[in-house]
Amino acid sequence: MKNAVIVKSFQSGLILYLDKEIEFEELLEEAAAKFKESERFFKDAAVAVSFVGRSLTLEEETRLVEAIMDNSSLNITCIVGRDEETERFYARALECVGRKKAQEESAGQFYRGTLRKGQILETESSIIVLGDVNPGSSVISAGDIVVLGSLRGNAYAGGSGRSEHYVAALEMAPQKIKIGDFKYITNEKSKWAFGSKREERTDGNPGGIQPQMAYVENNSIILKPITNELLNAR
């Protein structure tokens, strides 16, 4: 069936419009063929992907991502929704990690899911977490950490004392952040733990969420809203 898969680009990646009538195996074959034919056009890039038009199970999403990467030189960093405000935040966070990944020898990874109390996610490369990092859980990365959700647990970036790395999150309310040898610990009165004060924000962001980045400056960890100016500076 022609046009069972239609691919369009948006700021932070690709949208795949999927026919909801045909069998999934047919859909998978067409997606693979389409990206194989367009391999030169897409080239080598790290992108987010969004699937619309039909409901997919986690297994089906995974198989589609694998089919895309097996038949092109694309690196799918995460799967995102189509809410415009959320997409804008994702785009900013993805740009953060994308700038660094282009300079790294090893490709970054992504983890899809929420980390719960007691869970530890550890990697030797930069990582994007598509979900929340709840209190009592930890993300440990030798590179950068981007949380496309709420960071309310612990984040340790820049192993072996490398302080040039950073931690970014859509909602920043961590228990502890460590970048290289520098530590940042939130207490109840910390002005950065704005997660409980979301209703006070008046900048128009949904739910009062504002992406923030933590990085080392003047021998201490500071947190700042993710803006184009900050991205350019990094």
Side-chain angles (χ1 to χ4, degrees):
M1 178 181 293
K2 292 185 178 180
N3 296 324
V5 179
I6 299 174
V7 182
K8 293 187 178 181
S9 63
F10 65 102
Q11 183 181 6
S12 52
L14 302 173
I15 306 169
L16 271 66
Y17 294 91
L18 308 176
D19 188 288
K20 64 181 180 180
E21 301 296 335
I22 68 171
E23 294 294 327
F24 177 75
E25 294 301 327
E26 293 182 62
L27 187 75
L28 192 66
E29 290 180 6
E30 177 153 342
K34 182 150 295 188
F35 279 91
K36 185 68 174 178
E37 293 170 0
S38 307
E39 183 176 5
R40 292 184 180 180
F41 173 78
F42 290 116
K43 297 183 180 179
D44 186 7
V47 297
V49 66
S50 177
F51 300 123
V52 299
R54 68 186 282 162
S55 297
L56 298 171
T57 65
L58 179 58
E59 180 184 358
E60 289 173 340
E61 287 182 345
T62 301
R63 292 183 66 190
L64 273 171
V65 167
E66 290 174 348
I68 293 170
M69 292 196 293
D70 288 345
N71 290 278
S72 71
S73 54
L74 288 172
N75 176 26
I76 306 300
T77 56
C78 65
I79 303 169
V80 302
R82 288 294 301 133
D83 176 83
E84 292 184 2
E85 293 296 332
T86 302
E87 177 190 310
R88 179 166 60 86
F89 294 149
Y90 281 4
R92 287 180 178 177
L94 286 168
E95 188 170 355
C96 288
V97 78
R99 288 174 182 269
K100 283 287 188 69
K101 280 171 61 180
Q103 302 171 7
E104 294 178 353
E105 293 183 0
S106 61
Q109 300 179 353
F110 76 94
Y111 175 86
R112 189 171 188 268
T114 290
L115 295 180
R116 307 191 184 282
K117 183 177 180 180
Q119 290 185 299
I120 298 175
L121 176 63
E122 187 170 2
T123 176
E124 291 298 319
S125 63
S126 295
I127 189 163
I128 299 173
V129 179
L130 183 61
D132 297 332
V133 179
N134 285 335
S137 65
S138 300
V139 180
I140 304 172
S141 169
D144 306 313
I145 297 172
V146 173
V147 179
L148 300 184
S150 298
L151 173 56
R152 297 179 179 274
N154 305 306
Y156 306 97
S160 303
R162 294 179 293 174
S163 60
E164 71 273 16
H165 292 282
Y166 61 82
V167 176
L170 293 186
E171 184 176 359
M172 185 76 80
Q175 292 177 308
K176 182 187 297 184
I177 290 177
K178 183 177 180 182
I179 301 176
D181 294 327
F182 298 92
K183 296 179 181 179
Y184 172 87
I185 300 175
T186 301
N187 57 51
E188 292 181 357
K189 297 182 179 179
S190 173
K191 63 180 179 180
W192 296 115
F194 62 84
S196 60
K197 299 180 180 180
R198 289 162 59 177
E199 68 278 6
E200 297 177 9
R201 296 185 56 82
T202 58
D203 57 8
N205 288 339
I209 296 174
Q210 181 170 13
Q212 289 196 323
M213 179 189 291
Y215 59 94
V216 176
E217 185 174 281
N218 297 326
N219 294 321
S220 64
I221 294 178
I222 64 173
L223 288 79
K224 287 187 177 180
I226 296 176
T227 63
N228 291 333
E229 291 76 13
L230 182 59
L231 290 175
N232 292 332
R234 301 306 294 167

